[in-house]
Amino acid sequence: MYETLWAIISWQLKIFRPFERIDPGLQQKSDIYKSAIRHKHLMHTELTLLAKKMDGVLYYDQSPEHHTQLLAYSTDASVYQEKPLAVAIPQNVSDIKQLIDFARQQKATLVPRAAGTSLAGQVVSDGIVADISKHFNKIIEVNVAEKWVRVQPGVIRDDLNNYLRAYGLMFGPETSTANRAMIGGMVGNNSCGLHSIVWGAVRENLLEVNAVLSDGSEVVFKNEPVDGNDHTGLKKEIYKGLYNLLSDENNQQLIKQHFPKESVVRRNSGYALDSLLKMQPFSSKGESFNICKLIAGSEGTLAFITEIKLQLINQPPEKTALVCIHCNSIDEALRANIVALKHNPMASELVDRYIMNFTRAHPEYHKNCFFIEGDPAAILMVEFMAHTNGDVNLLAQQLVNELQEKGYGYAFPVLLNGDTKYAWDVRKAGLGLLRNLPGDIQPVNLIEDCAVSPEELPEYVIDLQRVLDKYKVNASYYAHAGAGELHVEPMINLKTPEGVKLFRTILAETVELVKKYKGSLSGEHGDGRLRGEYISTVVGNETYQLFKEVKKLFDPHNIFNKGKITDTPPMDGHLRVSVGKQPGPLKTSFDFSGQGSMLRLAEKCSGSGDCRRSEISGGTMCPSYMATRNEKDTTRARANILRQFLSNPEDVDPLNHQEIKEVMDLCLSCKGCKTECPSGVDITKMKAEFLQQYYDKNGIPFRAKLIGNFSSQMKLASLVPWGYNLVFGNSMLRKLVNQVVGFHPDRTMPLLASTTLAKWFKRRMKNDIDTGKKVHFFCDEFTNYYDVEIGKKAILLLEVLGYEVIIPDHEESGRTYLSKGMVKKAARIANQNIRLLSDIVTEEIPIVGVEPSTILTLRDEYIDLAETSNKEKARELASHTFTIEEFFSNEAGKGHISKEMFTKVKRTIAVHGHCYQKVLSSQHHSNIMLSMPENYQVQFIPSGCCGMAGAFGYETEHYEVSQQVGELVLFPAVRSFADDVIIAASGTSCRHQIKDGTHKIALHPVEILWDALAG
Ligand SMILES: Cc1cc2nc3c(=O)[nH]c(=O)nc-3n(C[C@H](O)[C@H](O)[C@H](O)COP(=O)(O)OP(=O)(O)OC[C@H]3O[C@@H](n4cnc5c(N)ncnc54)[C@H](O)[C@@H]3O)c2cc1C
Ligand code: SF4
Ligand code: SF4
């Protein structure tokens, strides 16, 4: 009986204490689990304490705000993904020291991160990712006489050179990512690029580094004897250790034997012990010892850099010639490369057919392909520079002559000066553009960075192609032929176990080739977690042990970027795509079939970081990042977070997440990414789709409804426009109402016209026009209620040109619903408009509109919102839809408008283009339209988004960012113009933003042209 009772008691105990099992294995696991929970809890407490000690910010908990940051920092430009323990945005060196102390005490790893464009997973980690891009971005000192600059690590390379231009100096090493990659990251990866054969890599241009070591001490590394006596603390230990290591003859032998052969110029794998050996005292004729050579390329594993002193060079000669050698095979191009190198070019780069085909198919980049003749298998681009056109042409011609003599190449167009940019853009956009390949078989970074001697490149590529052929894998080949390094991107489906196996096999077999040619596993991108596992195979275990010794000398507690260069985990773990089971189809309001699916569109983001450009580099993408400089506000973060949720096969509601809302919050839906992102990651479309699905589950907020229903409210208000204007024309009342609806009190509201455009049009005395020329006018909701005068002038101008203007029966555009994510409602309107307009809008009688955001909706979103039966009609309608600028520019092209119709007065017009015009049309049309009066000088303000973006700039929580976006370029430019400069802006929001931000009035091009009519 006691036994029975005991059995019952034990059974009860097991239920309530599930971890206490008899099985010792399970018992052990449960202990680990309990300790993990305890550890997590402790860690949370410790992290909270750390956050309090820091002047900067630390994200670490599971709140949507923090978790969004953790997800956004889970990737870089590699195939890897791992959620960090925390994300730190250190504000000063003291914060960095706090982070190092924490990492030491808690046995966490600390990853210094700059722009996060590393291709091998260097900044992907489960530790603390410390982003220095926000607060460490100052240029500290330039010394023109001695040609050096001192910077903080978060300075963008192109921004630095932009600054140095005034001094006639520049920092040589560049990357294709130079408009966002930062000097700290370039040092970490020892970056170099197009011109490395002349300007070298960072290692050759690095003079000094200020850093915090793993014990928290601040040090300066520079030219100084390794065996000097004045070093102290950990620095002393490091120098002593290195001296002993490098003085050992056996070690010297290992390094000489196992590092790449001397003719391999790109050598970026492991720690650069070979460079140290070439210096004094190890090489009597060498330069004086400078440990910076080792820091370059150390991938954040040795020290946390806080300042960098760089060697500068003079600006290169201005005249440039680019010989574009068209070849029938890659082999032919690589043999031409050997010939080209004898002519001492500045660069020699390869582009293969894959890249060219993608470029030709891209809406933005195809314009750059004008120089391509026929269908070359590869083009070798060889660049020369000189002081005169004559000299540079001569250099180009000498090369062409020798190539023709040797029978390499079939066409040799030579681009000069400004035109060379187009060809380089084709080459540079390559990696991003390759992501436009449809389907799951995608080009992967894997063996893209292996380098050999340029003379052996043809043979190496033949061998490599054999490996790829064996596994029936296609690949693209491009980039630095002149430096012996081709970016070879095999096309693999990483979503399948077979693909993952191939991923490893191809690297493993390429490693054998690298050994065969005594090349380098990495030439410029670094080893990261992609190639790190194979370093020991390439250099041998004994040499690899030297790397481990180096790591131990600097970082005995393994604080800095654990698992990179030494002790790297398996290269096929923590991939960003889920392997095996894939999520089922997602029902969406937008049609994503053109992109495969919404997930596929999000997956297209390669992480290249083009969306992290600053306003100095220009462009529209990405205004929110340009304003806040937060990774979370990049297009990349938005795509990454969407991808992480959409790819979870277990999640039945993948868009119902606060984190997505958080990351989308500052997206202005400007569409910049639709064309400026090389992968065409269209966040505007995905944000609208997300909002619709989020609202489906959580309800539509009051303010979103209010904005969406703009037309119906204005219809009512326009019955008593004076009443509406009384409220919004009075600043006290307006502030009050603004606050009630959630608009910022300082934001003024547009006032209503006394009548609507539609009413005016119906009631007016019509001109008798009988030219047989007709045009439809899209009476959009903003022009109808607010900008009636612009609408009138547009109609009258069209009539002056001899057009009979028809306002057809149509609905509002649906823009306000789209901007607030009410896609279903917008879809109903779009389909109704397609039905109403598609039969009457034809090639002969097209439709024009003055407000870019609405008229271009007919051309863009309507196609993706059309029901199947309306699809073809929507496409047809789109092809006959024009902005007023396009229409006038076409008319001018046909000779229908004469300059005689306009004034001869001299005026300067400064144009701010609407984002949608830049993305879906071209500023060229505004130029033609506004240049019709013969003495009108048109200049374009190099602004991106104005910051208003529909209702975004009105909303209380977005007002500040809206102003910041305006202040980037647009406001200062507008303020700088003399009073007689006419400011032109087609968008109603843009004009409003200019008025609120600068108190200057911008006019619609239609108004400017109307005022310019002669007589
Ligand atoms: C499309 C594309 C094209 C590319 N083309 C080139 C090219 O032509 N040439 C080339 O060399 N590379 C190229 N890269 C790779 C990459 O852009 C470069 O390596 C770049 O220099 C990295 O800079 P980042 O600011 O993004 O650094 P991150 O990726 O943030 O960091 C790079 C490394 O530096 C370390 N680091 C950063 N800051 C510090 C610090 N303060 N202290 C210590 N360590 C630090 C990091 O830990 C990391 O290991 C390309 C990448 C992409 C996506
Ligand atoms: S969103 Fe586009 S530009 Fe930004 S990182 Fe991704 S691919 Fe590059
Ligand atoms: S739509 Fe504009 S703001 Fe939004 S992600 Fe794209 S570029 Fe950035």
Side-chain angles (χ1 to χ4, degrees):
M1 192 195 132
Y2 284 115
E3 278 172 357
T4 317
L5 192 63
W6 180 237
I8 291 171
I9 291 169
S10 322
W11 181 73
Q12 293 280 354
L13 283 174
K14 270 186 214 163
I15 286 183
F16 294 106
R17 297 161 74 188
F19 297 116
E20 287 190 19
R21 302 277 155 87
I22 300 142
D23 177 347
L26 286 180
Q27 175 71 54
Q28 197 188 357
K29 270 190 196 161
S30 78
D31 288 346
I32 292 169
Y33 181 67
K34 277 194 279 186
S35 107
I37 291 177
R38 220 175 11 249
H39 181 68
K40 213 171 157 186
H41 182 72
L42 267 179
M43 199 58 122
H44 186 274
T45 315
E46 298 302 331
L47 285 164
T48 309
L49 283 175
L50 172 65
K52 282 193 185 138
K53 285 188 209 160
M54 283 178 60
D55 295 319
V57 190
L58 189 75
Y59 301 98
Y60 56 95
D61 66 30
Q62 291 305 307
S63 67
E65 187 202 349
H66 282 222
H67 195 223
T68 304
Q69 297 280 353
L70 302 186
L71 295 178
Y73 282 89
S74 300
T75 54
D76 50 15
S78 69
V79 291
Y80 298 102
Q81 180 174 301
E82 198 169 5
K83 195 160 67 175
L85 170 71
V87 169
I89 317 288
Q91 197 165 305
N92 44 39
V93 175
S94 149
D95 279 355
I96 291 174
K97 287 183 177 177
Q98 292 288 357
L99 287 163
I100 292 173
D101 271 359
F102 177 90
R104 195 182 324 104
Q105 281 159 22
Q106 300 301 323
K107 296 192 175 24
T109 186
L110 180 64
V111 184
R113 170 170 159 143
T117 65
S118 286
L119 287 161
Q122 282 91 327
V123 292
V124 178
S125 164
D126 63 357
I128 302 177
V129 175
D131 180 349
I132 48 86
S133 66
K134 180 135 176 152
H135 298 297
F136 288 81
N137 50 19
K138 317 249 171 342
I139 298 172
I140 302 167
E141 187 187 355
V142 184
N143 188 318
V144 179
E146 292 175 15
K147 291 191 188 164
W148 54 257
V149 66
R150 187 180 289 283
V151 298
Q152 289 185 320
V155 169
I156 295 175
R157 189 271 187 188
D158 276 2
D159 292 0
L160 172 64
N161 277 356
N162 191 50
Y163 175 84
L164 292 171
R165 196 166 301 129
Y167 302 99
L169 295 172
M170 64 177 284
F171 174 57
E174 84 264 66
T175 60
S176 305
T177 48
N179 59 11
R180 65 268 189 198
M182 294 166 172
I183 303 297
M186 291 183 75
V187 172
N189 286 348
N190 186 34
S191 301
C192 59
L194 280 183
H195 299 102
S196 71
I197 49 179
V198 184
W199 295 338
V202 170
R203 186 171 292 138
E204 287 86 56
N205 295 272
L206 185 62
L207 299 174
E208 274 181 39
V209 153
N210 291 36
V212 186
L213 296 180
S214 58
D215 65 346
S217 58
E218 284 183 64
V219 292
V220 181
F221 288 132
K222 57 182 180 185
N223 264 355
E224 54 192 351
V226 64
D227 47 355
N229 291 327
D230 52 349
H231 311 308
T232 52
L234 180 56
K235 183 176 173 187
K236 184 177 180 171
E237 296 303 311
I238 292 170
Y239 273 64
K240 200 169 104 195
L242 279 177
Y243 181 75
N244 292 340
L245 187 150
L246 292 166
S247 308
D248 183 305
E249 274 181 28
N250 186 36
N251 291 345
Q252 290 185 356
Q253 212 40 43
L254 281 173
I255 295 166
K256 282 179 189 148
Q257 228 173 41
H258 295 289
F259 268 70
K261 62 165 89 161
E262 279 305 311
S263 55
V264 178
V265 282
R266 295 249 173 146
R267 33 205 311 132
N268 208 16
S269 199
Y271 291 124
L273 293 176
D274 56 337
S275 298
L276 297 187
L277 218 46
K278 285 182 195 144
M279 290 185 289
Q280 293 173 19
F282 312 107
S283 175
S284 56
K285 290 191 185 134
E287 300 167 23
S288 38
F289 189 83
N290 191 333
I291 206 172
C292 292
K293 304 256 182 239
L294 179 74
I295 299 294
S298 61
E299 300 187 2
T301 59
L302 301 182
F304 204 121
I305 301 169
T306 53
E307 267 181 41
I308 300 160
K309 183 175 163 187
L310 299 167
Q311 181 71 63
L312 303 177
I313 52 173
N314 289 334
Q315 295 269 351
E318 264 181 22
K319 305 297 175 196
T320 331
L322 192 65
V323 188
C324 299
I325 308 157
H326 288 44
C327 299
N328 287 313
S329 68
I330 291 175
D331 186 64
E332 186 186 346
L334 295 180
R335 292 185 196 277
N337 175 53
I338 299 173
V339 177
L341 288 178
K342 286 195 291 175
H343 290 251
N344 299 322
M346 294 294 293
S348 179
E349 298 273 311
L350 186 94
V351 177
D352 78 350
R353 188 179 271 136
Y354 265 114
I355 306 264
M356 280 183 270
N357 287 347
F358 279 115
T359 315
R360 283 166 156 169
H362 192 274
E364 180 75 7
Y365 293 93
H366 75 99
K367 300 170 205 152
N368 298 337
C369 295
F370 63 90
F371 66 94
I372 301 176
E373 296 177 24
D375 183 23
I379 294 183
L380 187 73
M381 299 177 177
V382 183
E383 189 187 56
F384 294 99
M385 290 183 188
H387 290 288
T388 66
N389 275 335
D391 285 352
V392 88
N393 259 321
L394 183 69
L395 292 170
Q397 205 45 56
Q398 284 169 345
L399 171 63
V400 174
N401 290 346
E402 190 177 345
L403 289 168
Q404 281 175 326
E405 223 172 81
K406 298 220 155 82
Y408 295 135
Y410 70 84
F412 310 88
V414 178
L415 302 182
L416 287 179
N417 305 319
D419 282 352
T420 58
K421 172 185 177 301
Y422 301 105
W424 281 141
D425 280 352
V426 171
R427 150 65 194 91
K428 286 185 190 173
L431 200 132
L433 288 172
L434 280 174
R435 295 295 177 284
N436 289 327
L437 199 68
D440 287 334
I441 298 180
Q442 288 290 314
V444 290
N445 297 309
L446 179 64
I447 51 171
E448 89 292 350
D449 206 35
C450 302
V452 297
S453 159
E455 286 71 32
E456 290 182 316
L457 199 52
E459 281 68 33
Y460 166 77
V461 166
I462 291 170
D463 279 351
L464 184 59
Q465 190 55 47
R466 274 196 204 112
V467 172
L468 296 170
D469 287 345
K470 183 163 72 176
Y471 297 107
K472 298 188 177 52
V473 169
N474 290 324
S476 71
Y477 291 80
Y478 68 100
H480 317 298
E485 176 180 335
L486 286 187
H487 293 333
V488 184
E489 302 240 327
M491 318 274 169
I492 298 178
N493 183 355
L494 280 181
K495 290 182 178 173
T496 62
E498 301 74 38
V500 176
K501 201 166 155 211
L502 214 49
F503 185 58
R504 172 175 284 283
T505 310
I506 288 177
L507 179 59
E509 296 201 12
T510 308
V511 162
E512 294 307 317
L513 294 181
V514 170
K515 277 172 69 178
K516 173 178 165 188
Y517 289 92
K518 257 183 130 316
S520 179
L521 187 54
S522 159
E524 59 176 18
H525 296 163
D527 297 315
R529 51 198 299 169
L530 178 63
R531 287 173 281 262
E533 187 190 341
Y534 281 95
I535 296 177
S536 61
T537 317
V538 176
V539 299
N541 194 37
E542 280 179 287
T543 316
Y544 180 66
Q545 291 310 319
L546 300 183
F547 294 166
K548 291 186 78 160
E549 268 183 56
V550 171
K551 170 76 177 169
K552 210 164 172 192
L553 278 174
F554 278 82
D555 187 15
H557 303 290
N558 215 351
I559 290 171
F560 295 126
N561 210 359
K562 192 172 86 187
K564 315 291 155 51
I565 302 191
T566 54
D567 297 321
T568 309
M571 53 82 75
D572 41 13
H574 291 286
L575 298 178
R576 60 154 74 182
V577 292
S578 34
V579 182
K581 196 174 170 201
Q582 297 300 315
L586 179 76
K587 200 170 174 311
T588 55
S589 301
F590 270 117
D591 178 3
F592 283 92
S593 59
Q595 294 83 27
S597 66
M598 188 168 170
L599 168 60
R600 192 66 202 86
L601 179 56
E603 279 177 345
K604 277 169 83 173
C605 171
S606 62
S608 67
D610 294 65
C611 46
R612 277 186 66 107
R613 288 178 308 205
S614 74
E615 72 284 1
I616 300 171
S617 295
T620 303
M621 176 181 70
C622 173
S624 54
Y625 171 73
M626 286 183 192
T628 68
R629 299 284 176 112
N630 290 331
E631 171 69 24
K632 178 194 81 87
D633 301 322
T634 59
T635 312
R636 168 167 79 176
R638 294 175 182 126
N640 272 333
I641 289 183
L642 274 173
R643 177 178 48 72
Q644 289 178 55
F645 284 110
L646 285 169
S647 58
N648 179 359
E650 313 304 330
D651 195 340
V652 287
D653 237 348
L655 292 179
N656 187 16
H657 291 278
Q658 272 291 115
E659 288 85 345
I660 309 182
K661 194 155 177 288
E662 186 81 26
V663 81
M664 291 294 176
D665 184 49
L666 291 187
C667 167
L668 291 97
S669 297
C670 69
K671 298 196 187 182
C673 42
K674 188 178 166 106
T675 51
E676 286 182 22
C677 158
S679 311
V681 173
D682 182 354
I683 294 290
T684 308
K685 181 174 173 183
M686 291 196 279
K687 178 182 177 182
E689 182 67 46
F690 153 71
L691 283 175
Q692 177 65 70
Q693 302 216 18
Y694 190 81
Y695 294 159
D696 284 349
K697 302 284 169 194
N698 303 287
I700 307 176
F702 164 72
R703 190 180 61 189
K705 278 190 197 155
L706 197 78
I707 296 165
N709 291 324
F710 169 84
S711 282
S712 35
Q713 285 159 35
M714 287 305 119
K715 197 171 173 182
L716 276 178
S718 67
L719 297 175
V720 277
W722 54 267
Y724 177 95
N725 293 346
L726 191 76
V727 174
F728 289 106
N730 174 301
S731 74
M732 290 263 288
L733 289 174
R734 186 204 73 224
K735 283 182 185 200
L736 204 70
V737 179
N738 274 10
Q739 262 165 342
V740 172
V741 297
F743 287 166
H744 196 277
D746 292 344
R747 181 59 83 187
T748 66
M749 298 295 286
L751 299 182
L752 276 178
S754 55
T755 183
T756 66
L757 182 65
K759 279 188 198 150
W760 169 83
F761 188 75
K762 257 189 211 151
R763 287 183 197 152
R764 80 197 176 117
M765 294 285 289
K766 235 179 153 187
N767 287 343
D768 268 343
I769 296 170
D770 192 17
T771 56
K773 295 198 297 182
K774 293 182 184 177
V775 65
H776 291 107
F777 185 84
F778 189 72
C779 181
D780 69 83
E781 48 277 23
F782 303 112
T783 313
N784 193 33
Y785 296 111
Y786 289 153
D787 299 321
V788 176
E789 287 307 309
I790 293 171
K792 283 184 197 171
K793 286 177 184 169
I795 290 168
L796 295 172
L797 257 181
L798 288 166
E799 289 180 350
V800 170
L801 292 184
Y803 275 93
E804 182 189 336
V805 178
I806 306 161
I807 295 188
D809 188 15
H810 66 74
E811 301 283 323
E812 61 187 289
S813 68
R815 166 57 43 208
T816 55
Y817 290 114
L818 283 169
S819 79
K820 295 317 294 174
M822 290 142 89
V823 185
K824 289 180 183 165
K825 194 108 182 183
R828 279 197 287 279
I829 295 169
N831 281 290
Q832 177 70 350
N833 273 339
I834 295 166
R835 277 188 284 274
L836 286 167
L837 296 173
S838 57
D839 288 341
I840 53 172
V841 172
T842 60
E843 194 174 347
E844 291 72 35
I845 318 179
I847 190 160
V848 299
V850 291
E851 169 51 36
S853 69
T854 52
I855 190 70
L856 290 170
T857 305
L858 274 63
R859 200 147 91 194
D860 190 23
E861 280 97 341
Y862 276 22
I863 297 175
D864 283 337
L865 292 172
E867 294 153 3
T868 318
S869 58
N870 267 342
K871 219 30 153 203
E872 217 26 65
K873 289 180 184 173
R875 288 206 183 93
E876 188 71 5
L877 175 63
S879 67
H880 306 313
T881 299
F882 299 100
T883 63
I884 195 93
E885 290 86 349
E886 290 168 336
F887 188 78
F888 276 102
S889 146
N890 292 343
E891 286 296 290
K894 290 178 199 156
H896 293 169
I897 309 179
S898 133
K899 289 198 176 278
E900 297 308 312
M901 295 162 68
F902 300 99
T903 175
K904 304 233 177 307
V905 172
K906 278 191 179 172
R907 295 306 296 266
T908 302
I909 325 266
V911 186
H912 161 75
H914 188 282
C915 295
Y916 292 6
Q917 267 179 311
K918 291 179 205 148
V919 170
L920 303 167
S921 173
S922 161
Q923 300 241 70
H924 160 76
H925 301 295
S926 309
N927 189 21
I928 294 187
M929 179 176 176
L930 289 166
S931 304
M932 280 172 190
E934 63 183 55
N935 291 319
Y936 276 22
Q937 285 285 331
V938 178
Q939 66 182 66
F940 286 93
I941 304 173
S943 46
C945 179
C946 71
M948 185 68 109
F952 180 90
Y954 289 82
E955 293 163 349
T956 312
E957 71 280 19
H958 297 147
Y959 178 77
E960 203 182 314
V961 171
S962 160
Q963 294 304 102
Q964 282 170 12
V965 174
E967 289 293 352
L968 291 171
V969 177
L970 180 61
F971 293 172
V974 169
R975 286 187 201 115
S976 73
F977 295 130
D979 286 346
D980 59 349
V981 172
I982 304 174
I983 297 149
S986 301
T988 187
S989 303
C990 312
R991 290 190 298 275
H992 197 109
Q993 173 81 330
I994 290 171
K995 184 166 151 256
D996 274 3
T998 67
H999 306 293
K1000 288 201 176 187
I1001 300 295
L1003 300 177
H1004 192 286
V1006 151
E1007 296 178 278
I1008 298 171
L1009 215 55
W1010 174 258
D1011 294 344
L1013 277 175

